[in-house]
Structures are given as C-alpha cells and as structure tokens.
C-alpha cells in the first residue's frame, strides 16, 4: 500500500488541505509545460506566461535530445522490443515492431485526466468516447457500454499453448496489426486537452504512455517481500481516459526513464515479468486480406474454425467486433493489442498479465475473487461489562506492557492511543452505562470513572470494542459492540456477476426501521411476565462447570445478547426447555427483547406500567409504545417479488450489520506458505500451510445496480456526491436537467442527503453533474452496466484498518 507521502502522486488521493480545484490548476500548468516543451502546442496558448516561457526554453533542448536519442527507449520498453525482435525475427516487417518513441510520459496520477478534457471546456467527443467534466468528477462514456467475450480472445501462434476457445493467429498477422496499431487516424491521436487550441502539429497528434507495477505476489512478513511485475500501457491521445482509468486502479509507477523506477534494478521486488498493452480501437476496420490471411479454400481447418481466412476481399478482421490479440512465451514478456476502448477490456488485460506472471513464477496465483474482513457487531443496549478475562485471560496490565509504544497511560488505569486519540483502552472489568454516560471500574477499593462519549472507540483487553451510537431512526442512544477478531470472507474462483462486490457491502443500506406490534396487549404482556419470571438455572443438558446462580432476565448485568441466546433453542439445553421455547409464539420474542432493551433498574421490576398501546376507536391498538413513545424495530429488505414489493424480514433486537473492511473486489494475488515458516499465528489454526491474499487494486470498478432506486444504495450516493470521481456509463446532466430534478420534490426527496446537496449545487452553479439513478441511455434504454471507481475504504479511512 502506498504511504501517505506518495498517495497523491501514485493514486491521486488528495490530502485534506488541497482542493480538487487547486489540484486541477496545478496539473494544467504541468501539462501546458509538457506539451510546449514537446513541441505539441504553441507557447501563446498557455495563459501562464512564466510557464510558457520556461517551457519554450526547454523545447529546443528537447528537440536536440530527441534527435540524438531517437533510438533510445526506457528499460521496460527495451525489454519489450527485444522480445518482439526475437519472437518475430523471421517475419517480414519485424523491424517495425518498435514502441512509440515520443509518447507523452504520464509520470504522476492526474495528468491523464487533465489531458482527457479540453482546458477551455467541459466536453469532448469523438467516434470512440464522450467525456464530460462534472461537479462530482468526470464521466467517460465509451462507444460500447460493456465488453463481450464472444470472439474476443486472439493469441499469436508459436508461443505458449493456446487454450481451447481462443483464436490462433499467425505471427505475420500480428506484425501487421502491430504496425497498423501504431498509426491511428488523426482524430484518434488528437489530445482532448488541446481541443480548441492552436496546435503546432494538428495532424500527428500524440501517444501517451504509462508505467504500472501491479502486485503479483503478496508480502508475508518474515518470509518474503511483495513482488510486482511491470506493465507499459500506450494509448492514442484521444483515449488517454483509459490511462486515467488503469492508473486509478493500479497506481502510477512514475517515470519509466528514471533508474529508481527500473524494475531490473530491484530484483527482490520485481517478479521478472514485463507486460505491454497498446490501445488501438481503429483495428476494427482492417481487412483480413490486408493482414495476409489466406482465402478460405487455401486455409487450414483450424484457420477456418477461427475465422482466419476470407471469401470476399473486403471482409473485416473479426467481423469488425472488439478483440484483443496477445503474444507471449515462457520468457516472461507479454504484449497485447486491444481493438476497443471499453474500460473493462483495459482492466481485464492487466488482470490477464498478472495471471500470466503468477503462472510462470509458480507458488502464486491471480484470483478472480471478492472478499471482506467482517467483525460481527451487536446492539448491547444501555449497559455493558467488558469481562475480558473469560475470553482470553488478558488484563489491562498485559495490554499496557505489550503495547506500551502504542498508548499513553492515564491515571486510574486506562490508556489513550497515540495515533488515534479517539481510541481508548479500558480495563478488563469496565462497566459502561448509557444512563449516566460513564465507564467505571474498581481498583484497590477505589472506583475510577471516565466519560462515555460518542465518536470514541473503547477497547477491552480481549480486543472487544464498544462505542456509543445514536439509533439511525429513533431518538435513543445505545451501546454497540464489535468482536475483536473477525473473519476474512474470501470468495475465490468467481465468475463475472457472481457476487464478489456484494460480500463487502454492508447491510446498513438494506435495513428498514418500523413499529413493533402486539396481538393483544394484556395477553402478550402476561406472557412476557411469565418469561421474565421463569427460572433458567436448570436449562443445561449437561452439568455446567463452575455453575453460578442464574441471573434474572432483567438483571442489568445480563446483556441483551445474553437474553437472546438464552431464549434461542440450543443443543446445550434440555429437550424440555427447547420444547418450551418452540411452543412460544414467534412474535413474542421481539416484544421481550425490546422490553429488556429499555428496562431501567430504577423501575424496581415495574416494567409493565411503561409499555402499552394507544386506544383506537375505543379499542386497544396494536403498536407497542414505551411511555407513549413509538418503539422502532429493525427489518431487512431482501429483493422484490413479482409485483415489485420488497421481501422484508424482522431482525433480532440486538442485530447490527457487521463492521466490514473490503479486502478484495476482482483481482487478487495470493501465495501459499508452509506453517513451519510462520510465527505469531492464532493457536486455533493448526493446518500444514496457509494462503495469504492481497488486493491488486486501489480502486474498485463498482457496478451500483441498486442505485437506480433513489436512496437505497446510500454508499454509492455518498461516493458519487464527492469530488474527483471517475464515472462511466452514466448520463451527464446539464444545468437544466439538474434544475428539473431538484424541482421534482417528491422524487428528489428520495435521494440521500449527500446526493441532494450535490444536485442542488449543480442546479445553482451550472455545469454538468451525474445523478446516482441516471445511467446513460444506450439504444433507447438505460444501460445495465453503470460504473464508477470507488477508492478503497481502507485508503481514505485509516482508522478502519488500524
């Protein structure tokens, strides 16, 4: 993971003290300097006189250098060209297999995005892409709104074995495709940034190049370092948005001409593999005959099967459809041409090249996986005692000794974290109470107290964490507890659409809150009283070791979770006790749990006078209330039925969504390590070997399907309402459209607050914006593939992984 120092240059994640407006102005000056120095635009086009003058001085020097070093390329490109020269040494035109020498080097994140839009405008469009600057970032809509796999994968012959289902391509055909790829038409090579400016070379345009270092094998502390491969990515000027896309996902690895970025000089961190990707969507118009493919009657059976032959001279290669053609062998270099600019092809090719590297390297794998680190959370009600010793035997004294460098010890026997002062380390017997907002514990006959405050995280020596949280739909506050050691939910070998992203999504956005109902208030409260009065000490099927007197259900030292567990059938209980539990009506349990949740010891057992119903038309109603105030239960939405109605389920009273940290979304790298080489493992684990997995992506290419329902996918609305987004397959809305959305008050009110705030700003200030529920229209209908890049939560929320 990049450090905070290089996050801005590598990933474009800005520090809090830098705005996107300031960042854009800084990048504009840098781009003007690069273009003038490279002789691509006239210095007079630059509004900053000092930048123009300095760049003009550099321009002459750079022309002289280019002339003297016309055959020079960076180390990565040299490795690629050496491979191509060897692989195609006996093919005609093999000497033409040279990468662009004067490509604009994108050596920091953000240059690609700056180049992808006019400096003096907000829109750019050609036959391949439409780009629009937004209040919430940029939207790039490629010609095709999704990728297809039918007939897409073409592999050059005479390298590694070609898998079934892939099309085999003769070597001389690749040579001609490569030569054509490097000769894009003028409109494809034109830089969007210069649109509307007077350029010195309007007919030649420019290439842009990028260096990536995607992860191939994760680091295992004490065993191995992280290893990456190197990938060079080239795109004609008008498609520089694709480079913005891939650098946002995999990070910008800097200037490939600098020795510090030469993978060959870092043998421990380099896997030894080199990749190259060249974007060339204009190849979809090249004819089979011009590529030297045979007539059908002269072709082999395999060529006829793969369509590598023609009957008519004007037949287009691959029938004019999108394709990518790959050349690779066991030497560790892989080169791919992509004849389409849909963003998914660019990302999936990097994925393919990572997989190629892991397969050659051994003891490593690229996985099409999704995953999350999930820590179960619970509603603890109004009081909670840590009682850590019964979980792992640890005391605060142990924690203070083992983690002295992590905390500041405070008088009374608690600690404050040095990095995040909202983390408070509390003793093993700490008792938290919402009633007086306190946390207390006893030491040597003295009671110590600190305040229970919202926004703070209190850690017990077991690792269990609790905090004070306001109910999202009720005026009450409660304690929320989260287990200290979670589960890594890993979903490998997953097909597209197989639910990778869904693993890491919180259930919060799918929860509803509504009233609790009784059937007959008096009968139901009588039954609740029976449940509270029942003795529970004899429920165990086997004698319980070190038995203690069973506490009553309303004992303040018995948690809500304990009550729920006690009233849930278990194999640890007797058959008679389980039979009694199952005989109770299901609806009575939420009533028992809500009474337990709000029970106040000051009532001295008189809970019944505090719970009741309204009288409606002279008869008792059915909505349960406490002291005349509505009570709120939690429900979960799970899909819709054939009539569009939500399927809804009641959740148990202490249920809360797990705290999740997304760890994988699509591309993961893994390695297997023997147990004998590892230290510090949880004693629970005793297998022979373990798989370590890391995410290869810094941003996730999310498809927010549920965002079409305004206000449902609140995380997407929060993300899209922020600045600096990379968005695709959404409809750019102009000022008039934004104003119309705001005026439609009924629909507008359904958005979450961040999206409403964004749309109001766009309607007032003008310009373009994207709304979360407005995917772009393709062939008359909304696309099913709206996308945006989501910054990995652990990168901009450092407290979560900590």
């Amino acid at each position: 993971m990049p450090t905070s120092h290089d996050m801005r240059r590598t990933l474009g994640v800005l520090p809090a003290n830098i705005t996107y407006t300031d960042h854009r102005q800084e990048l504009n000056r840098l781009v003007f300097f690069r273009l003038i120095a490279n002789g691509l635009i006239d210095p007079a086009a630059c509004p900053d006189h000092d930048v123009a003058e300095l760049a003009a001085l550099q321009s002459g020097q750079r022309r002289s250098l280019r002339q003297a070093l016309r055959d020079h390329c960076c180390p990565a490109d040299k490795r690629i060209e050496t491979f191509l020269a060897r692989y195609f040494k006996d093919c005609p035109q093999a000497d033409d297999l040279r990468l662009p020498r004067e490509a604009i080097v994108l050596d920091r994140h953000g240059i690609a995005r700056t180049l992808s839009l006019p400096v003096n405008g907000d829109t750019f469009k050609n036959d391949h892409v439409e780009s629009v600057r937004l209040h919430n970032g940029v939207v790039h809509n490629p010609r095709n709104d999704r990728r297809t796999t039918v007939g897409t994968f073409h592999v050059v012959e005479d390298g590694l074995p070609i898998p079934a289902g892939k099309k085999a391509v003769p070597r001389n055909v690749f040579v001609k495709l490569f030569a054509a790829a490097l000769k894009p038409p003028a409109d494809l090579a034109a830089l969007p940034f210069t649109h509307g400016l007077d350029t010195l070379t309007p007919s030649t345009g420019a290439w842009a190049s990028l260096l990536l270092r995607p992860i191939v094998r994760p680091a295992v502390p004490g065993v191995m370092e992280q290893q990456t491969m190197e990938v060079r990515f080239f795109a004609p000027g008008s498609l520089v948005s694709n480079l913005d896309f891939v650098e946002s996902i995999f990070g910008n690895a800097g200037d490939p001409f600098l020795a510090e970025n030469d993978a060959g000089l870092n043998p421990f961190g380099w896997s030894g593999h080199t990749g190259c990707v060249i974007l060339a969507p204009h190849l979809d118009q090249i004819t089979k005959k011009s590529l030297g493919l045979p007539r059908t009657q002269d072709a082999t059976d395999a060529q006829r099967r793969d369509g590598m032959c023609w009957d008519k001279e004007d037949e287009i290669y691959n029938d004019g459809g999108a394709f990518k053609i790959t050349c690779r062998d066991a030497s560790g270099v892989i080169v791919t041409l992509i004849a389409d600019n849909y963003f998914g092809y660019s990302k999936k090719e990097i994925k393919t090249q990572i997989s190629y590297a892991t397969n050659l390297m051994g003891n490593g794998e690229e996985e099409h996986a999704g995953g999350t680190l999930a820590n179960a959370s619970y509603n603890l009600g109004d009081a909670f005692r840590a009682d850590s010793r019964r979980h792992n035997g640890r005391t605060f004294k142990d924690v203070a000794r083992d983690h002295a460098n992590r905390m500041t010890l405070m008088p009374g026997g608690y600690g404050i974290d040095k990095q995040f002062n909202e983390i408070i380390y509390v003793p093993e017997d700490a008792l938290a109470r919402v009633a007086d907002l306190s946390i207390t514990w006893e030491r040597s006959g003295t009671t110590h107290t600190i305040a229970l405050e919202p926004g703070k995280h209190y850690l017990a020596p077991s690792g269990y964490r609790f905090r004070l949280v306001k109910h999202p739909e009720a005026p009450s506050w409660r304690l929320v507890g989260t287990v200290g050691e979670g589960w890594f939910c890993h979903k490998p070998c997953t097909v597209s659409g197989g639910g990778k992203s869904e693993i890491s999504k919180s259930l919060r956005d799918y929860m509803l809150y509504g009233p609790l109902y009784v059937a007959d208030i008096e009968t139901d409260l009588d039954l609740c009283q029976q449940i509270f009065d029942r003795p529970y000490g004899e429920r165990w099927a086997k004698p319980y070791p070190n038995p203690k007197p069973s506490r009553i259900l309303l004992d303040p030292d018995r948690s809500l979770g304990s009550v729920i567990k006690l009233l849930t059938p278990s194999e640890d209980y007797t058959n008679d006790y389980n039979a009694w539990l199952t005989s109770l009506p299901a609806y009575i349990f939420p009533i028992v749990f809500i009474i337990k949740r709000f029970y106040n010891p000051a009532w001295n057992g008189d809970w019944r006078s505090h719970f009741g119903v309204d009288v409606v038309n002279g008869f008792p109603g059915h909505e349960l209330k406490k002291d005349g105030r509505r009570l709120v239960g939690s429900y979960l939405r799970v899909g819709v039925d054939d009539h569009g109605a939500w399927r809804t389920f009641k959740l148990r009273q202490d249920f809360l969504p797990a705290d999740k940290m997304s760890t994988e979304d699509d591309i993961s790298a893994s390695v297997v390590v023997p147990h004998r080489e590892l230290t510090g493992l949880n004693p629970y684990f005793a297998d022979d070997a373990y798989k370590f997995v890391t995410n290869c992506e810094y941003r996730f290419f999310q498809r927010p399907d549920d965002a079409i329902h305004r206000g449902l996918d609140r995380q997407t609305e929060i993300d899209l309402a922020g600045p600096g987004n990379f968005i695709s397959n959404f409809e750019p809305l102009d000022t008039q459209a934004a104003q119309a959305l705001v005026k439609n008050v009924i629909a507008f009110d359904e958005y979450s607050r961040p999206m409403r705030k964004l749309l109001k700003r766009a309607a007032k200030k003008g310009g373009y914006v994207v709304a979360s529920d407005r995917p772009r229209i393709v062939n008359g209908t909304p696309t099913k593939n709206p996308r945006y890049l989501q910054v990995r939560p652990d990168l901009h929320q450092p407290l979560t992984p900590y």
Side-chain angles (χ1 to χ4, degrees), residues 507-518:
L507 290 178
R508 287 184 180 89
D509 288 350
Y510 298 88
M511 290 179 63
L512 297 170
Y513 302 92
L516 288 172
Y517 295 102
V518 296

Side-chain angles (χ1 to χ4, degrees), residues 509-783:
D509 288 350
Y510 298 88
M511 290 179 63
L512 297 170
Y513 302 92
L516 288 172
Y517 295 102
V518 296
D520 177 270
I521 184 64
E522 295 301 327
T523 301
D524 292 342
L525 295 189
D526 286 344
L527 184 53
C528 289
Q529 188 68 62
Q530 294 175 29
I531 294 171
F532 292 141
D533 292 342
R534 179 187 172 102
Y536 291 93
E538 304 300 322
R539 69 186 182 278
W540 301 106
K542 298 178 181 179
Y544 196 77
N546 303 317
K548 298 178 182 178
S550 179
R551 297 164 295 177
I552 63 173
L553 265 62
L554 297 179
D555 188 320
D557 282 337
R558 183 185 283 282
S559 69
L560 176 62
S562 171
V563 172
I564 292 174
K565 184 177 180 180
L566 185 145
L567 296 180
T568 302
S570 168
E571 61 183 13
D572 294 330
Y573 300 154
T574 65
N575 292 335
D576 288 344
Y577 180 76
N578 284 329
W580 173 71
L581 288 177
T582 56
S583 71
L584 297 172
Y587 74 85
I588 204 68
F589 293 106
I591 302 174
V592 169
F593 299 149
I594 201 73
I595 294 172
K596 167 63 180 176
R597 162 70 181 84
F598 285 102
Y599 179 75
N600 188 335
W603 295 347
N604 294 319
D606 179 25
W607 58 268
R608 191 154 181 164
S609 65
H610 295 274
F611 294 88
V613 296
D614 291 334
V615 176
V616 182
N617 294 330
F619 296 94
H622 298 282
E623 182 180 350
L624 185 65
K625 293 188 174 184
K626 171 187 171 290
D627 295 324
R629 181 174 69 79
R630 297 182 67 187
L631 296 172
V632 176
S634 301
Y635 301 84
L636 184 67
R637 290 184 285 192
V638 185
V640 295
D641 62 19
D642 294 338
H643 304 290
W646 284 100
R647 296 188 180 95
T648 306
F649 297 87
K650 177 70 177 71
L651 297 169
R652 53 187 264 180
Q653 194 61 36
D654 72 334
F655 175 85
L656 286 176
D659 272 13
K660 289 184 175 182
M661 185 179 73
S662 182
T663 53
E664 304 172 276
D665 186 71
D666 189 30
I667 308 175
S668 302
S670 65
V671 65
V672 175
V673 178
H675 180 282
R676 63 178 179 272
E677 296 187 27
L678 301 169
T679 59
L681 284 176
N682 187 325
Y684 175 83
F685 300 110
D687 295 297
D688 293 332
Y690 297 91
K691 181 169 76 172
F692 289 77
V693 184
T694 192
N695 203 323
C696 298
E697 304 168 85
Y698 297 110
R699 286 181 176 87
F700 301 146
F701 198 30
Q702 297 286 25
R703 185 178 62 204
D705 296 327
D706 290 332
I708 59 172
H709 305 287
R710 289 181 291 273
L712 175 58
D713 190 343
R714 283 172 281 188
Q715 185 58 56
T716 291
E717 294 195 12
I718 290 172
D719 292 338
L720 289 183
N725 283 293
F726 183 105
I727 303 169
S728 185
N729 283 339
F730 278 84
E731 195 70 28
L733 306 175
D734 60 17
T735 306
Q736 187 175 1
Q739 291 171 345
L741 279 180
V742 173
K743 288 180 180 178
N744 186 353
V745 293
I746 295 176
F748 181 73
D749 193 56
E750 294 175 352
Y751 291 114
S752 63
R753 183 180 178 184
M755 184 55 60
R756 293 198 304 267
K757 185 177 179 180
L758 168 70
L759 293 173
K760 282 183 177 179
R761 185 170 74 248
K764 181 178 180 180
K765 293 187 175 182
Y768 293 88
V769 70
V770 153
S772 53
D773 64 327
R774 295 296 181 94
R776 72 157 161 158
I777 305 301
V778 178
N779 298 325
T781 60
T783 178

Side-chain angles (χ1 to χ4, degrees), residues 71-195:
D71 292 326
H72 177 72
C73 60
C74 68
D77 291 0
K78 185 65 176 177
R79 287 186 271 272
I80 295 165
E81 290 186 355
T82 300
F83 160 76
L84 292 171
R86 175 182 55 79
Y87 198 98
F88 298 99
K89 61 183 178 182
D90 56 348
C91 292
Q93 299 178 289
D95 293 340
D96 295 335
L97 298 173
R98 288 160 54 95
L99 298 171
R101 286 292 186 267
E102 298 185 9
I104 300 171
V105 176
L106 311 180
D107 58 352
R108 61 178 291 184
H109 187 282
I111 297 178
R113 183 166 302 182
T114 303
L115 288 169
S116 70
L117 286 162
V119 64
N120 293 329
D122 292 331
T123 62
F124 173 81
K125 184 177 182 179
N126 64 13
D127 290 340
H128 296 276
V129 66
E130 178 183 10
S131 302
V132 180
R133 196 187 321 275
L134 309 167
H135 281 273
N136 46 339
V138 294
V139 60
H140 297 295
N141 289 332
R143 178 174 58 190
N144 295 318
D145 68 325
R146 66 185 68 198
R147 66 187 182 97
T148 177
T149 58
V150 178
T152 300
F153 305 108
H154 301 197
V155 182
V156 180
E157 296 173 337
D158 301 327
L160 293 171
I162 299 174
K166 307 290 192 290
K167 295 187 176 185
V169 181
R171 287 187 301 149
N172 66 298
V173 172
F174 179 86
V175 172
K176 292 183 177 181
L177 284 169
F178 189 98
L182 296 191
K183 297 176 182 177
D187 67 321
L188 192 59
L191 288 166
F193 182 87
T194 65
H195 188 67

